[in-house]
Amino acid sequence: MKRAFRRSTAGLAVVGAVALIAGCGGGSDDNSLSADEFRAQADAICADTNRETDALQAPTSGADILQYLKDGQSASDTGLEKLRDLDPPSDLEGDWQKAIELHDQRAETINGAITRIEGGEDPEAVISDVNDEVSQTNDELDALAKDLGLTVCGADDDNGTDTTTSTDTTPTDTTATDTTASTDTSIDIPTT
């Protein structure tokens, strides 16, 4: 059986609250960044957070999922707090606030999964249950990152972050074809 646990860079970062925190950037005061400054700083924060999440030890079994989710969430929370300190220009503020709200929504889902696993539910079943919701939110975040003109935040990063555990049922006869049976259970781990 094959279980893939992937981390997709999808948007800005993750945090665990439903409501938008007022300090996410105003854009209307004299301290707001230019669009170029905002994009450069946001992408730099995302790059740092991506490096941190890329360094996480990916789960090799269902038992490893909880720690992987917690570590990914922690790294993302740190990145998002830095992103919240950015003050986008007023023309980017609406999309920026939407992105923060989506991150809050995704974080709530991830934190709910963590709570369920800590409560004794099967980690793989929980991941399977929340994966579609997390993936849909990630897709929306990717689109917002593009609208904001970000190139690192929201860019898919497939350089070794897709980790797979499997039990291969391929016959040992070298003339036989590959008959590997698989079930794919994956989740987008919180990142920037």
Side-chain angles (χ1 to χ4, degrees):
M1 180 168 24
K2 173 182 169 185
R3 287 176 183 78
F5 304 94
R6 69 181 161 93
R7 201 266 315 131
S8 171
T9 51
L12 309 174
V14 173
V15 65
V18 175
L20 175 66
I21 295 177
C24 71
S28 60
D29 60 27
D30 293 335
N31 295 324
S32 65
L33 299 168
S34 72
D36 288 342
E37 291 169 330
F38 168 76
R39 289 176 181 121
Q41 289 181 28
D43 276 337
I45 293 167
C46 289
D48 288 344
T49 304
N50 289 346
R51 277 190 291 279
E52 189 174 341
T53 57
D54 286 347
L56 294 177
Q57 179 65 39
T60 57
S61 70
D64 298 334
I65 293 173
L66 179 61
Q67 191 61 50
Y68 189 59
L69 288 175
K70 285 181 173 182
D71 291 346
Q73 185 69 32
S74 176
S76 295
D77 286 346
T78 300
L80 184 58
E81 288 310 311
K82 292 176 184 176
L83 288 168
R84 284 187 189 281
D85 288 339
L86 297 180
D87 194 9
S90 60
D91 61 325
L92 299 179
E93 185 178 354
D95 283 342
W96 181 246
Q97 289 182 353
K98 287 178 197 173
I100 297 295
E101 290 170 354
L102 283 170
H103 283 297
D104 291 344
Q105 177 185 343
R106 182 175 69 178
E108 184 177 328
T109 301
I110 297 289
N111 286 327
I114 290 170
T115 300
R116 289 172 59 188
I117 295 168
E118 288 176 331
E121 289 188 50
D122 177 61
E124 294 172 19
V126 171
I127 296 307
S128 179
D129 188 40
V130 302
N131 189 58
D132 287 345
E133 181 180 347
V134 172
S135 293
Q136 179 180 351
T137 304
N138 285 343
D139 291 344
E140 292 175 44
L141 284 166
D142 285 344
L144 277 172
K146 183 178 179 181
D147 290 347
L148 287 163
L150 302 173
T151 58
V152 175
C153 301
D156 287 334
D157 178 19
D158 293 328
N159 59 356
T161 60
D162 194 25
T163 302
T164 302
T165 61
S166 66
T167 303
D168 192 355
T169 58
T170 305
T172 56
D173 180 357
T174 58
T175 61
T177 58
D178 185 0
T179 59
T180 303
S182 68
T183 304
D184 188 16
T185 308
S186 61
I187 184 151
D188 294 327
I189 300 301
T191 67
T192 56

